[in-house]
Amino acid sequence: MRRHALFVACLIGAGLPVLVTGSEALPDAARIEFHWGVQIPMRDGVRLNATVYTPKDQAAPAPCIFTLTPYISAGYHDRGVYFAAHGFPFLTVDVRGRGNSEGQFRPMIQEARDGHDVVEWLAQQSYCNGKVAMWGGSYAGYDQWATAKELPPHLATIVPVASVYPGVDFPMRNNISYPYVTQWLTLTAGRASQANIFADAGFWAARYREWFESGRPFIDLDRMVGHPSSIFREWMSHPERDAYWDAHAPTSGQYARLTIPILTITGSNDDDQPGALTYYRDFMRYASAEARARHYLIIGPWDHAGTRSPQAQFAGLKFGPASLLDLNELHRQWYAWTMLDGPKPPFLKQAVAYYVMGAEKWRYADTLDAVTARAQPFFLDSTGNADDVLRSGSLAPDVPARGEPDHYTYDPRDVGGAALESTLDPDSRVNQQMIYAGRGRLLVYHSAPFEQATEISGVFRLSAWLAIDQPDTDFIATVYEIGADGSSILLSSDLLRARYRESLREPALVNTTKALRYDFERFTFVSRQIQPGSRLRLVIGPVNSLYSQKNHNSGGTVAGESFRDARPVRVELHHDRAHPSALYVPLGQPEEAG
């Protein structure tokens, strides 16, 4: 329910790799030249600050790489050293208004034009052969797409990783915002690093809890955390997908004109997977056949930070050695292939590579859709009100014959869960305490135990017939694997605000108490082998968390609502023959024998 680790990779250091030649072993740092404080002029006269890493005793111009970051360029010193030691001049560039760059920082507004100008300036430098690539994830994944849409002539390739898509997954997901936005705006405020403030999880949990329990409007949050922000208020004034957000991303025409090779990287547990895959799907929809054939996709098991520095353990999960892909080396191979006519990276056996958690191995497909063999419906049913883990409803292959709907009541003034939630790790994928504590205030459905190992790969979909007695409310649907020992692993989730049940662009308040079909179609991608004896658990309930914007159900402007506007809502979930609510489970392709 929060942006668990969004952009936190900017705070993670890594040991310097070692390049070995024959019997000689020197640290990468001994193989580079370093130039600090290089000024890059923009078309409007503003100068951006760059740190330049070049191969020592470079004999000839070479393809160059740069990252454009709001996180202060020193944070990527290790990457600069690595790539320069491996033959690629590398620049870490502060976005305008951050670090030592001139100008004013306006998040996600300026990067397209500035990225274009950096590409064309870099192509003219004596150490560059005219071919320029980009590196980076999260914000630096976003600004690769923003730069590419400007079609700079010397941009040779991009490798967007865990890419933020403004209006899709930041500063809101499915038009539902979250308090983390104020934390990130504090991290990127001013020119200096605010890393210690940003990383103090206890500090921010306390600020969010104070807001959550106060009942004050979400629009007041920036002042409550001590950082009034005009950007925060500008974002909140655009609560749904509109032309403001569209301007940040490539248009269909720009996708069609993009011909450079692209490598997209994300993870099953990456908070910015929705953005990364939206760029990927849009590109594959609008680009030429030739360009589509040059776009590769990797979906690892990783969280947000792990898309650059994979870890075998995080958020309560553990993965096998195959998950620890050497992403620096993969990038190096990609740049050598696309800009130096080197061999294709051997890891890229087909257009799509995805890691099957549980089986702990990589699989391949020609397209993202081809990862899934079929969608198996599991119909929701119950013999009593399914409002507790211990008296749950069922997920079964047959359409239910019974007709009594399940129900819960959500009062936006209910803040009783805040004390517990503020003590829990919000990044955990294995904790069940909030679900057990939600008894009577959510709905739970379990499948029968799986008789054999079953691969789930792709995107869940939920079709739920819901009736509410208020004009609006928020829902969250979450799917878990429940082990034979009772352990839990979060697989995927989706959010839906009732007013956006038909479109994320056109709100339509609910004006009936009859059941309407709500299609949850934006679950995150997951690939996991479900173990024999495990079950699937589906939980449907209100979005009532100190890590999420609160909808008070009145039908007004959500960011401006407070406890004074709160309206308790009764939610009924129907699952009879006339209203067949179902979870569609993406079953993976069978593996070839031998």
Side-chain angles (χ1 to χ4, degrees), residues 40-44 96 112-122 147 152:
I40 303 177
M42 300 293 100
R43 69 188 72 180
D44 62 357
R96 67 168 61 203
R113 288 162 58 93
D114 287 356
H116 174 284
D117 292 356
V118 172
V119 170
E120 295 308 303
W121 175 88
L122 186 51
T147 298

Side-chain angles (χ1 to χ4, degrees), residues 282-306:
D282 285 351
F283 180 91
M284 299 303 281
R285 177 182 178 185
Y286 296 116
S288 68
E290 180 182 4
R292 293 197 303 270
R294 303 173 75 187
H295 194 161
Y296 288 76
L297 171 65
I298 298 173
I299 307 178
W302 314 302
D303 63 359
H304 191 66

Side-chain angles (χ1 to χ4, degrees), residues 173-226:
R173 179 182 169 196
N174 299 348
N175 296 350
I176 300 174
S177 191
Y178 33 80
Y180 174 85
V181 172
T182 59
Q183 186 175 350
W184 185 83
L185 287 170
T186 302
L187 170 65
T188 56
R191 295 184 178 274
S193 172
Q194 317 297 336
N196 289 342
I197 298 173
F198 172 80
D200 188 344
F203 170 84
W204 290 102
R207 302 284 81 73
Y208 301 159
R209 180 179 175 184
E210 179 184 5
W211 159 75
F212 183 74
E213 293 180 330
S214 75
R216 289 175 60 178
F218 189 73
I219 197 66
D220 290 349
L221 180 61
D222 61 333
R223 293 187 174 92
M224 291 189 69
V225 303

Side-chain angles (χ1 to χ4, degrees), residues 133-151:
M134 297 183 73
W135 176 94
S138 197
Y139 192 100
Y142 152 72
D143 63 35
Q144 291 188 59
W145 282 108
T147 298
K149 77 183 180 68
E150 300 298 304
L151 304 173

Side-chain angles (χ1 to χ4, degrees), residues 295-335:
H295 194 161
Y296 288 76
L297 171 65
I298 298 173
I299 307 178
W302 314 302
D303 63 359
H304 191 66
T307 57
R308 279 136 290 168
S309 301
Q311 301 293 318
Q313 299 184 40
F314 60 85
L317 303 174
K318 296 181 181 181
F319 303 102
S323 70
L324 298 177
L325 202 60
D326 186 342
L327 291 175
N328 272 350
E329 172 63 9
L330 181 61
H331 276 76
R332 186 200 67 77
Q333 293 174 0
W334 174 268
Y335 295 136

Side-chain angles (χ1 to χ4, degrees), residues 66-391:
F66 77 97
T67 188
L68 185 61
T69 179
Y71 302 129
I72 313 304
S73 60
Y76 299 101
H77 172 73
D78 60 328
R79 311 289 179 169
V81 170
Y82 175 86
F83 286 108
H86 287 76
F88 294 97
F90 190 96
L91 278 68
T92 59
V93 183
D94 293 323
V95 300
R96 67 168 61 203
R98 291 287 290 152
N100 292 313
S101 287
E102 298 174 348
Q104 179 184 4
F105 178 56
R106 294 197 65 215
M108 301 181 293
I109 298 295
Q110 58 216 6
E111 272 46 273
R113 288 162 58 93
D114 287 356
H116 174 284
D117 292 356
V118 172
V119 170
E120 295 308 303
W121 175 88
L122 186 51
Q124 305 305 315
Q125 303 310 300
S126 61
Y127 49 80
C128 184
N129 70 355
K131 295 181 179 180
V132 179
M134 297 183 73
W135 176 94
S138 197
Y139 192 100
Y142 152 72
D143 63 35
Q144 291 188 59
W145 282 108
T147 298
K149 77 183 180 68
E150 300 298 304
L151 304 173
H154 291 91
L155 184 63
T157 184
I158 59 173
V159 186
V161 178
S163 303
V164 173
Y165 194 122
V168 170
D169 56 5
F170 186 82
M172 57 194 183
R173 179 182 169 196
N174 299 348
N175 296 350
I176 300 174
S177 191
Y178 33 80
Y180 174 85
V181 172
T182 59
Q183 186 175 350
W184 185 83
L185 287 170
T186 302
L187 170 65
T188 56
R191 295 184 178 274
S193 172
Q194 317 297 336
N196 289 342
I197 298 173
F198 172 80
D200 188 344
F203 170 84
W204 290 102
R207 302 284 81 73
Y208 301 159
R209 180 179 175 184
E210 179 184 5
W211 159 75
F212 183 74
E213 293 180 330
S214 75
R216 289 175 60 178
F218 189 73
I219 197 66
D220 290 349
L221 180 61
D222 61 333
R223 293 187 174 92
M224 291 189 69
V225 303
H227 179 206
S229 169
S230 60
I231 293 293
F232 175 73
R233 291 172 178 266
E234 180 177 321
W235 287 348
M236 293 306 106
S237 70
H238 295 274
E240 57 236 358
R241 294 285 300 278
D242 59 12
Y244 174 85
W245 298 114
D246 291 343
H248 294 74
T251 64
S252 58
Q254 288 168 329
Y255 280 121
R257 291 192 294 275
L258 270 175
T259 59
I260 59 174
I262 300 172
L263 173 60
T264 288
I265 301 175
T266 184
S268 284
N269 293 286
D270 173 19
D271 286 317
D272 277 310
Q273 184 208 108
L277 292 187
T278 298
Y279 286 117
Y280 176 80
R281 290 183 177 111
D282 285 351
F283 180 91
M284 299 303 281
R285 177 182 178 185
Y286 296 116
S288 68
E290 180 182 4
R292 293 197 303 270
R294 303 173 75 187
H295 194 161
Y296 288 76
L297 171 65
I298 298 173
I299 307 178
W302 314 302
D303 63 359
H304 191 66
T307 57
R308 279 136 290 168
S309 301
Q311 301 293 318
Q313 299 184 40
F314 60 85
L317 303 174
K318 296 181 181 181
F319 303 102
S323 70
L324 298 177
L325 202 60
D326 186 342
L327 291 175
N328 272 350
E329 172 63 9
L330 181 61
H331 276 76
R332 186 200 67 77
Q333 293 174 0
W334 174 268
Y335 295 136
W337 180 42
T338 57
M339 297 192 293
L340 289 173
D341 296 323
K344 180 181 177 181
F347 180 78
L348 301 178
K349 298 176 182 178
Q350 288 176 253
V352 177
Y354 59 102
Y355 188 88
V356 185
M357 299 177 288
E360 306 308 322
K361 62 183 178 182
W362 290 93
R363 292 194 67 187
Y364 294 88
D366 290 328
T367 67
L368 183 56
D369 288 341
V371 168
T372 304
R374 61 188 176 90
Q376 173 68 51
F378 283 70
F379 293 94
L380 282 60
D381 201 359
S382 68
T383 56
N385 197 32
D387 63 352
D388 185 1
V389 171
L390 301 180
R391 59 172 185 238

